[in-house]
Amino acid sequence: MNANKLPWWRPVSVVAVVGALLAASACGSGEGGGAAGPESGDGLPPVVRVVSTNPVTGPAAQNGIAANEGHHLAIKEINESGFLGDTTIEMEEVDTAGDSQTAASELTKAITDDSVSAVFGAVQSESAVAQAPIAQNSKMPIIFTQAGSDGVVIGEYTFRLTPTMNVYYPILSKFMKEQGWKTMGILYTAATPSLEMIGEETLPAMAEELGIEVVSSVATQGSTQDFTAPISQLLKDDPDGVAVLLIGAANPTAMTQLRQAGYEGAVLGSAAAASGVLDPAGEDGAGMVWPVGYHPSMEYEASQKFTEAFREEYGEDPMFNSADSYDAAWFFARALKRANSANREDIQKALDEIAAEPWTGALGENLTFTDRILDVPGVVVEKTADGEKLLYYASDVEE
Amino acid sequence: MSGWYGANLILVQNTFIGLVLALSIQFPMRMGVFSFTGAGSYGLGAYLAAILVIDHRFPALAAIAAAMAVSLVVSVLLGLLVQQLDGLYLGMATIAFCLIVSVAATAGGDLTGGPTGRFGAISDFTSGHIYVIAVAALLLVALTEFGRVGRRIEAVREDPELAAAVGINVRAYRLAAFAASGLLGGCAGAMNLLARTTITPVDIGFSLVILALTMIIVGGIRSWKGALIGAVVFTWLPELLAVVGKWEHVVYGALVAAAAIWMPGGLYGVWSDAKYRYRVGRRKAPSGADRSGPRTGAPELRTVGEGVAEP
Amino acid sequence: MLQDLLGAVTLGSIYLMFALGMSLAWGSIGILNFAHGSIFMFAAFVGYLVLAQSPLSLIALVALGVTVGALLSVLVHVVAFEQITRWTKDHRTAEMQILIGGIGIAGIPLALAQYETRSNPFGFTQSSFQPTVHVVGDLRVSDLQVLIVVAAAVLTTAIALWLRHSRQGLALRSIGVDAEVASMMGVNRRRFAIVTMAVAGGLAGLAAVLYTFYVGALTPESGETLIIKAFACIILGGVGSMAGVAVGAFALAFAETLVLTNFGGLWVDAISFSLIFAVLLLRPAGLFGKKAVRRT
């Protein structure tokens, strides 16, 4: 073969391949209009299938694993109690590995699988934002938890059981008032939209209402690891109080370096510091306070029931992700019962119906949905030397 | 068949888009230009397409064309700036360019959507578009492996001084490498945005550079076939490895490392070496020179007398 | 102001200790070890695991970190880099294989640590050593900061002096200039490569322990961010020059602190990348480097 001349079969094979692909794309199940899911028939089939797409590996692994645990616990209860009669729910867990493209592609696979009735969406905002349009266009009911960003609940097939953080963050005002601060500084990361919004809009608005002056506002990037310089900026004008809105290891680092810089007071934080994230800071971590949708010490009957069941199943206290996802699975199960069908369209209608009624679950009692997002009032939690302490409920805050 | 296709549609699309991305980095490498401009152009192309489609309602193909045009200009400018650099230094400079693009994407305020990126880019884009564009790009790049152009590219890579002495405009060829990587990268980025409807800073950036580089090193840098192999392998590998469960990343890293250590020509190099050896084994060697030996992926010591393709 | 200066000097010392190992390997034996960040993190991670069993002191932790770092580095070299350089005749291709090989291998300690911690942060809270802060006038200094700065200064000087004045240092430098001729002159390239990688790994381990105490918490992904900063330092200062790395590290740390205090934290990364870019354009060899540029 003369290496310089194009052999005849090359262009032919190329044309053949392209032709095959065009044919496949034309007659294949196509761009998401296709699979209808289970049939709408009489009653529920013996097995209903749901897929959970969550990060089990990657930076959000802890949250993804906790979410799956919550789903799993609820489904176990539903099956064992015969809530759906003879029907059982079967959940398949798929790892998104923290990657949005994987999340999108796993969702597409679930959509083309005719036996899948619904999907539990990814907890990470970036992944959720990639999944939402696909689920909506393909008419697949998808229930998200966390994923607090715009572009997630975009149509009648998308639901979310946690509001965006800026909705319940203001319950911290009571704490801020009790501290008696006159000035404060805000240190926040611009890498997460929810924390960026809190740092730039929500918290300053709360401060203004309480008559607190924000004397320093320092934004950092996701890649910042040493906070010495940002903290020195934060404390430059000697504020009475401080807010630290960061993710992951930045929380214990900032607390450690804050104490080293001489600040001993309370610190406003976020749920990103919950459940062991602050442990590497040891004693320096104590004193951080944040609002969160769920805490094991919540006293509502349904919450306590969940907390005990979780402790018994897994031997440790549940994270808020687990409470969110537990309620999500029950939300789905109630819709199944109401619809008496495993068909996706029927389930969507049933979800809407249930969302129109008061909701009681691990997240609270008689909660309401607004535009398919659950309004969770939340509680305020403080990190202490040996764990977390529940300070007060949203309902304790006088308007 | 169509069931499997529908379930894995996204992966099939990603394979083609990944191919164009891999070509955008492989093509300059074939010319000896160690440049990652393709990855930066991918980011530029994706964001530009997002802005055009979401904010200005451009149709898909127009957005791709615009993305390619802008990436072309930026890449050529970059190529002019870094003319003096070579080897790892050139690589570093172009990696820095990619990182600057991702930082600009994060700090771009409302235009680029900050850390959330842009979402909601719905358009008239179909899988058919992706396949046709990708195959067209592949054909164009593959064509440059033949004839005079192919030989000149080899010359510019192997011995630039000699090539210059023979009258080849080395500078122009190297700039062409930047231009091509800009076009290909911008195209891949725009297609990705249109197919996924969202783009975030996390998608473009260092991990993209690493993915593209891994694709062509493990696939084979000497030919478009390597880029194709690499794109297929690395789009589908995570899927296959999902069976391994939690150890997926360890196995992935080990496989990449193993390929880098033991397959210097990449998978394509292994295959073409085997093919060569099979052919030579079958033929009884007459008097030495085997002129029709194919170019292999593995670099070879050239000894005088044993013919390999001359410029 | 003075406080910020101290912070920048400490940060620069951290960058220096991390980048020193990479620069040493790159400049002498031509190996750009992308697994350096992963080795760094894993050394700290092993410390964290051992601390769960018994409360080690600072010295013990440092010794552990240095050992783990050195061993891992040598292991990576023998298993991967040595094989690559042996089997690949073309230096350009070998460089890229080493790059990718390093990246692939870096994923392994990363995945192990991620599995164990679920990507949660880990630290040295159980150690018997905890940094204490002393107030000197307006300035707050911790004993850890002093230790970091002194360690970086001592190590850099020691290595620079050793490279310049000892026979082995001369041998190592000769490998960097022309490996073939060096081996013809009797320099055992393989042994030197292993020693260099061990030292580089040991430096990473030391830096890791001190860094973990300084920032209080590390995640499995922490090493990756530092690699890019290390590039910036090495490129700025010039490959192969110890003085260059030192200048590069402090210049980067000071630039980052300056940007943060005056323009806000969002532009810090842009600084390192723009710095790399600018240096490569204006003076590709770096401030003190010796490599020539293309002429065709």
Side-chain angles (χ1 to χ4, degrees):
Chain A
M1 175 172 72
N2 182 342
N4 288 327
K5 223 172 79 153
L6 204 58
W8 67 268
W9 44 267
R10 288 205 186 172
V12 173
S13 56
V14 165
V15 172
V17 165
V18 176
L21 283 167
L22 284 173
S25 67
C27 74
S29 355
E31 318 290 323
E39 290 299 308
S40 179
D42 26 17
L44 291 168
V47 173
V48 173
R49 293 196 58 226
V50 69
V51 173
S52 165
T53 59
N54 265 304
V56 171
T57 54
Q62 177 170 254
N63 306 85
I65 293 176
N68 280 338
E69 285 175 347
H71 289 315
H72 181 84
L73 179 65
I75 290 177
K76 183 164 166 230
E77 280 180 7
I78 291 163
N79 290 343
E80 281 175 4
S81 67
F83 180 73
L84 296 172
D86 288 327
T87 302
T88 52
I89 301 180
E90 190 184 282
M91 178 173 81
E92 185 189 344
E93 291 175 8
V94 178
D95 182 16
T96 64
D99 177 42
S100 332
Q101 306 241 349
T102 311
S105 115
E106 291 297 341
L107 173 64
T108 307
K109 269 205 225 117
I111 289 174
T112 54
D113 182 345
D114 276 339
S115 66
V116 174
S117 298
V119 172
F120 294 136
V123 291
Q124 286 173 286
S125 304
E126 316 88 80
S127 303
V129 163
Q131 290 182 318
I134 301 176
Q136 176 63 30
N137 286 346
S138 310
K139 302 196 185 337
M140 165 64 93
I142 188 166
I143 305 175
F144 291 102
T145 57
Q146 291 302 310
S149 126
D150 285 332
V152 174
V153 181
I154 55 173
E156 72 271 16
Y157 279 87
T158 56
F159 295 82
R160 190 174 62 211
L161 258 71
T162 30
T164 46
M165 201 187 279
N166 63 323
V167 164
Y168 58 83
Y169 206 82
I171 64 177
L172 262 187
S173 307
K174 178 168 134 89
F175 180 80
M176 288 161 75
K177 200 153 73 167
E178 282 168 8
Q179 293 295 306
W181 292 340
K182 294 280 178 303
T183 57
M184 72 180 285
I186 305 179
L187 171 64
Y188 67 98
T189 173
T192 307
S194 37
L195 291 176
E196 187 186 19
M197 191 195 293
I198 308 272
E200 285 181 354
E201 296 165 18
T202 321
L203 196 47
M206 286 158 65
E208 194 180 322
E209 238 180 279
L210 292 168
I212 304 177
E213 190 195 342
V214 177
V215 293
S216 57
S217 179
V218 182
T220 59
Q221 299 169 225
S223 56
T224 309
Q225 291 178 298
D226 174 26
F227 282 83
T228 319
I231 284 176
S232 117
Q233 280 303 103
L234 183 71
L235 299 175
K236 200 170 48 164
D237 295 318
D238 220 6
D240 294 333
V242 151
V244 165
L245 306 162
L246 304 167
I247 43 175
N251 280 302
T253 302
M255 291 303 278
T256 308
Q257 295 183 330
L258 257 181
R259 304 314 189 194
Q260 283 182 352
Y263 178 81
E264 302 289 335
V267 177
L268 303 181
S270 72
S275 307
V277 169
L278 278 178
D279 287 346
E283 289 174 355
D284 292 340
M288 189 178 237
V289 169
W290 63 83
V292 71
Y294 161 87
H295 191 265
S297 311
M298 270 169 41
E299 284 169 357
Y300 306 117
E301 196 186 321
S303 302
Q304 276 300 308
K305 238 175 73 180
F306 159 71
T307 310
E308 314 249 319
F310 192 96
R311 279 190 191 133
E312 205 184 302
E313 176 81 11
Y314 295 108
E316 54 179 16
D317 275 353
M319 275 184 73
F320 57 85
N321 290 104
S322 301
D324 297 338
S325 61
Y326 176 87
D327 274 5
W330 270 103
F331 184 42
F332 173 60
R334 287 181 197 165
L336 272 178
K337 191 161 184 170
R338 175 75 60 100
N340 199 26
S341 153
N343 173 267
R344 294 175 192 168
E345 229 182 287
D346 296 341
I347 290 176
Q348 185 277 318
K349 293 202 189 79
L351 284 170
D352 264 346
E353 278 176 36
I354 296 183
E357 300 159 6
W359 171 268
T360 298
L363 293 174
E365 294 179 340
N366 296 326
L367 306 177
T368 49
F369 278 83
T370 310
D371 291 333
R372 302 188 175 87
I373 303 176
L374 185 64
D375 296 328
V376 178
V379 295
V380 170
V381 166
E382 179 184 359
K383 173 78 179 164
T384 59
D386 46 1
E388 291 173 8
K389 188 170 82 174
L390 193 150
L391 287 185
Y392 59 85
Y393 292 78
S395 46
D396 295 334
V397 179
E398 310 102 39
E399 283 309 313
Chain B
M1 173 62 200
S2 72
W4 178 89
Y5 175 78
N8 291 294
L9 179 66
I10 293 198
L11 286 174
V12 175
Q13 288 176 341
N14 280 353
T15 310
F16 282 83
I17 297 176
L19 171 62
V20 180
L21 171 67
L23 286 173
S24 78
I25 303 209
Q26 190 255 337
F27 182 72
M29 294 255 184
R30 202 149 54 81
M31 237 185 268
V33 175
F34 198 0
S35 142
F36 294 98
T37 323
S41 307
Y42 182 101
L44 268 178
Y47 267 90
L48 190 63
I51 295 169
L52 291 175
V53 168
I54 302 175
D55 295 340
H56 303 285
R57 305 197 183 289
F58 267 50
L61 293 177
I64 296 181
M68 286 171 74
V70 170
S71 305
L72 171 68
V73 169
V74 172
S75 298
V76 170
L77 284 176
L78 185 66
L80 286 170
L81 271 179
V82 297
Q83 273 177 96
Q84 296 274 18
L85 297 176
D86 199 16
L88 270 180
Y89 293 94
L90 179 57
M92 300 275 95
T94 51
I95 290 183
F97 164 67
C98 297
L99 295 172
I100 292 177
V101 170
S102 73
V103 170
T106 319
D110 280 336
L111 187 65
T112 63
T116 330
R118 302 301 307 261
F119 50 86
I122 319 277
S123 68
D124 51 344
F125 200 56
T126 65
S127 300
H129 286 136
I130 300 181
Y131 307 149
V132 171
I133 295 177
V135 172
L138 182 63
L139 277 176
L140 286 172
V141 172
L143 278 175
T144 65
E145 283 185 24
F146 300 95
R148 239 168 59 176
V149 178
R151 291 194 297 263
R152 288 186 174 192
I153 290 180
E154 291 256 332
V156 168
R157 179 187 70 236
E158 293 297 333
D159 200 332
E161 281 102 4
L162 180 59
V166 174
I168 299 174
N169 189 343
V170 174
R171 214 157 252 188
Y173 269 79
R174 290 174 72 97
L175 262 181
F178 278 91
S181 73
L183 284 170
L184 289 165
C187 177
M191 287 205 292
N192 186 59
L193 176 276
L194 291 166
R196 298 279 75 75
T197 75
T198 87
I199 188 74
T200 66
V202 172
D203 299 325
I204 64 175
F206 205 45
S207 48
L208 185 68
V209 174
I210 301 219
L211 178 66
L213 190 58
T214 314
M215 278 199 268
I216 59 176
I217 295 278
V218 173
I221 55 168
R222 282 307 160 85
S223 159
W224 61 266
K225 300 179 191 110
L228 178 60
I229 295 174
V232 169
V233 167
F234 283 97
T235 307
W236 294 86
L237 194 58
E239 176 73 11
L240 294 170
L241 286 184
V243 185
V244 188
K246 293 228 171 91
W247 299 107
E248 178 182 335
H249 298 289
V250 180
V251 177
Y252 186 94
L255 286 177
V256 170
I261 298 171
W262 288 302
M263 294 194 278
L267 285 167
Y268 174 63
V270 167
W271 185 77
S272 77
D273 268 351
K275 199 169 74 168
Y276 180 60
R277 253 179 251 131
Y278 172 70
R279 282 229 197 97
V280 169
R282 286 188 54 176
R283 194 183 310 134
K284 283 207 194 87
S287 46
D290 181 21
R291 298 229 156 177
S292 55
R295 278 172 228 131
T296 67
E300 301 173 316
L301 231 37
R302 288 162 190 236
T303 52
V304 177
E306 251 183 329
V308 189
E310 347 71 2
Chain C
M1 231 299 277
L2 208 54
Q3 192 71 48
D4 284 336
L5 192 64
L6 178 61
V9 168
T10 317
L11 187 61
S13 305
I14 298 271
Y15 287 164
L16 177 54
M17 280 194 286
F18 183 84
L20 205 55
M22 269 183 105
S23 177
L24 195 59
W26 193 359
S28 59
I29 50 180
I31 289 182
L32 181 51
N33 182 8
F34 240 93
H36 194 78
S38 201
I39 294 173
F40 165 92
M41 180 279 298
F42 206 72
F45 180 65
V46 170
Y48 160 74
L49 288 178
V50 173
L51 270 178
Q53 309 298 320
S54 68
L56 298 175
S57 68
L58 178 64
I59 310 244
L61 268 176
V62 165
L64 180 63
V66 168
T67 317
V68 171
L71 282 176
L72 264 183
S73 192
V74 169
L75 183 66
V76 169
H77 177 73
V78 168
V79 165
F81 301 148
E82 237 181 32
Q83 307 301 318
I84 294 176
T85 42
R86 186 182 303 170
W87 289 34
T88 313
K89 292 156 190 108
D90 172 6
H91 183 63
R92 173 76 46 81
T93 320
E95 273 181 348
M96 287 196 296
Q97 306 294 131
I98 289 177
L99 204 63
I100 290 295
I103 293 174
I105 291 191
I108 298 176
L110 180 70
L112 289 172
Q114 280 177 330
Y115 179 76
E116 184 60 34
T117 62
R118 289 184 184 180
S119 284
N120 267 347
F122 56 89
F124 290 160
T125 33
Q126 282 128 317
S127 166
S128 57
F129 168 76
Q130 294 300 331
T132 37
V133 181
H134 307 281
V135 186
V136 178
D138 249 353
L139 202 58
R140 300 179 67 94
V141 187
S142 85
D143 47 2
L144 182 64
Q145 278 177 316
V146 172
L147 184 58
I148 290 175
V149 175
V150 166
V154 164
L155 282 168
T156 314
T157 326
I159 291 183
L161 286 176
W162 177 81
L163 272 181
R164 183 167 295 277
H165 295 297
S166 75
R167 273 182 71 86
Q168 294 91 341
L170 183 59
L172 196 58
R173 278 187 290 136
S174 71
I175 298 177
V177 172
D178 191 331
E180 303 261 329
V181 172
S183 74
M184 283 195 281
M185 311 272 13
V187 174
N188 186 338
R189 270 168 31 184
R190 181 166 191 259
R191 186 149 53 93
F192 268 102
I194 292 185
V195 168
T196 309
M197 293 303 280
V199 170
L203 280 168
L206 169 65
V209 171
L210 291 176
Y211 186 62
T212 310
F213 274 115
Y214 186 52
V215 293
L218 230 58
T219 60
E221 295 85 15
S222 297
E224 312 306 306
T225 328
L226 283 171
I227 289 229
I228 305 193
K229 310 253 177 181
F231 278 157
C233 299
I234 300 176
I235 299 276
L236 184 52
V239 181
S241 159
M242 296 301 117
V245 169
V247 169
F250 286 105
L252 183 67
F254 276 76
E256 285 185 350
T257 309
L258 208 69
V259 167
L260 197 132
T261 45
N262 292 323
F263 301 109
L266 292 180
W267 297 99
V268 173
D269 268 353
I271 282 295
S272 5
F273 308 149
S274 309
L275 216 55
I276 300 182
F277 199 68
V279 169
L280 284 169
L281 286 186
L282 300 171
R283 210 195 137 84
L287 291 170
F288 296 92
K290 297 153 194 99
K291 288 267 166 98
V293 294
R294 264 175 35 80
R295 280 177 228 294
T296 40

